[in-house]
Amino acid sequence: MTPTPAPTLTWAELRDLKCAELEGAADGWGRSSNRADAARDRIEQQLLTGLRDTQEGEAAQAAVARLRQLGRNFQYVYTECGLLRTTLNSLAHEMRTQQRALKEALDDAAALKFTVGADGSVTYPAAGEALVDGAPLRGGTVTSNGLPGLVPPSGLVAPNPNAGKARDIADRVAGAVRAAAEIDWRYAGILRRLKAEEGLKVPDATWRDAAGDAAAVRDAAGAYLKDAIPHDASPAERRDWWAGLTQEQREEYLAVYPDQIGNLDGIPALIRDAANRDNLRLLIGELEGRDDERSATRLAGLREIDRQLGAGTQPPMFLLGIGDEGNGRAIVSFGNPDTAKNVAAYVPGLGTSLDKEFAEGDLKRARDTALGAAEMNPGSPTASIVWLGYDAPQIQSDNLTASLDVAGEERARSGASGYNAFMAGLSATNQNEDQHVTAIGHSYGSLTVGLAAQEQGGIPGADDIILVGSPGTGARSADELGVGREHVFVGAAENDSVTKLPNSREASGLGSGAAGGASAGFVLGSAVGPGGAVVGGALGGLAGGAAGYFAQDAQSKESDVWFGTDPAHHDFGANRFKVSEGPEPFQRGHAPVEAHSNYFHPTKDQMSSDNISRIVSGKSEQVVPERPR
């Protein structure tokens, strides 16, 4: 680490520093940032939209590509100029703090009639009385190193009471100057690195530099901006905090902390979208050039989301969350959830992470739901959201511990709290008095939604709950989900094996029975040789597993599944709706568990897709029912 240089600043220079001039320069960079942002908006909202709507062919495609690049260039200008503005404002903020400390020390010196020298030494007058002759004790001069200019030579002589006060003032003056010099040195380094490559293009390497620039400014501006972000407040309080900021303060937060603002529940959707689009480019910049598998997988997902955002899809996309933590975070809405009458938030399940498959498949599920709801109820605007705000369990063939995550509730419980916080944010910012909200869980995501519904107060704002491909919700009855059993809807394909998983007792019996049977079979078979031991172990394992399973099955209810009661069963008490049976497991030409994945697909399972859209659009009375199991 490079040491901080010795201070060359004097206290007089610190006193006379004009912080207002730094803030004036910051305002100039802010105006440049705003102009670049306005130019980017004009390109994306007007020029690109008009070109796509009116022109076709290779020339039009080439023009779209160039306009998109120009828009990204303006985005880079917006980001860098915004970083410069915040750097200068933060520098002025920190320097003012040291100026105040210096002024207080100088004021104290003047009140005591002390003199502060140009070098920071403090001279004090005679005071007190000598112990021997009662004469006034001589004055002196002290410096911040603690060595007085004149010290009484004997412990028999009482010290001048002004000496300690003078030393304190000298230390305070020196401390303010040293701190200001360190601040100046630190910010000089940040400002030197805030420069762009020559030329009109902004390649990926430049975005990598921008990501580093943003990180440096964030570290420097912690006290100036970040510490004021209300992370521990309620979504409604965060909404009010944002509303109470000046326009300049909002611009600075968006430029320097897009990751914080974009993922803060309670901030309006338009603001979150703008922040997350900027943070998306910074995340892509951070991952560019890395050659590890995780980065490449994550980068493919981010690029696909970026491509769709730039493609101008309908309904319009809103990026409500993006992040690199854990298995990745992404929250995407098709339609504005702040203005939509109907809002649905879908939680994906097992195996979901921020990769290209998620960006193509799960985003399509949310978009298909939005399009279907618009068909079912054209006069009632809908926003359909996919919420990847937690670490869904991953199946890893080389990591048994990670694969077993799906067998437990830990990740779902963690996700449930995050989901409820997000839903509370939607309730805080939605502009409709009679908003209709639907919580949707698929696969392991249905456990997340189910546990969220069972938290105190339930899912904020939820009117209906949809569970599809569910291995259970952790509840024994639909009544436990907080919206009333008549508002809980379940889709379970006949050939979806996930909805028929054995309960934990059956699974335990299967495992222990197989282990015991295999051991006994191995011992008995070994009497006829090694081959007999192998065959005996295999047959014993099969027989023991079956015996253990059926022994536990006899003590279980028919409706028991892995996580509580089967939501599609009569015992649960929900409304089961009609879906396609789906292809059988391992049916030729189909994926092994395809029936588990078709619920949202309007061509592979139109009945399920239509029923989901009816519920989301507020037309649940039109759902085609299916008899419970």
Side-chain angles (χ1 to χ4, degrees), residues 346-347 361-362 364-366 368-369 440-443 466 468 596-606 608-610 612-613:
Y346 143 64
V347 182
D362 288 282
K364 181 181 183 299
R365 289 176 177 177
D368 285 341
T369 299
I440 306 176
H442 173 242
S443 186
I466 300 175
V468 288
H596 184 60
S597 304
N598 290 345
Y599 294 102
F600 300 89
H601 205 294
T603 55
K604 292 184 177 181
D605 192 345
Q606 184 177 356
S608 175
S609 176
D610 284 351
I612 291 172
S613 296

Side-chain angles (χ1 to χ4, degrees), residues 89 120 175 192 272 297 340 343-344 393 397 402 441 470 589 600 607 623:
N89 276 332
R192 276 194 294 270
R272 292 182 71 162
T297 300
V343 178
S397 58
S470 177
F600 300 89
M607 180 60 72
V623 163

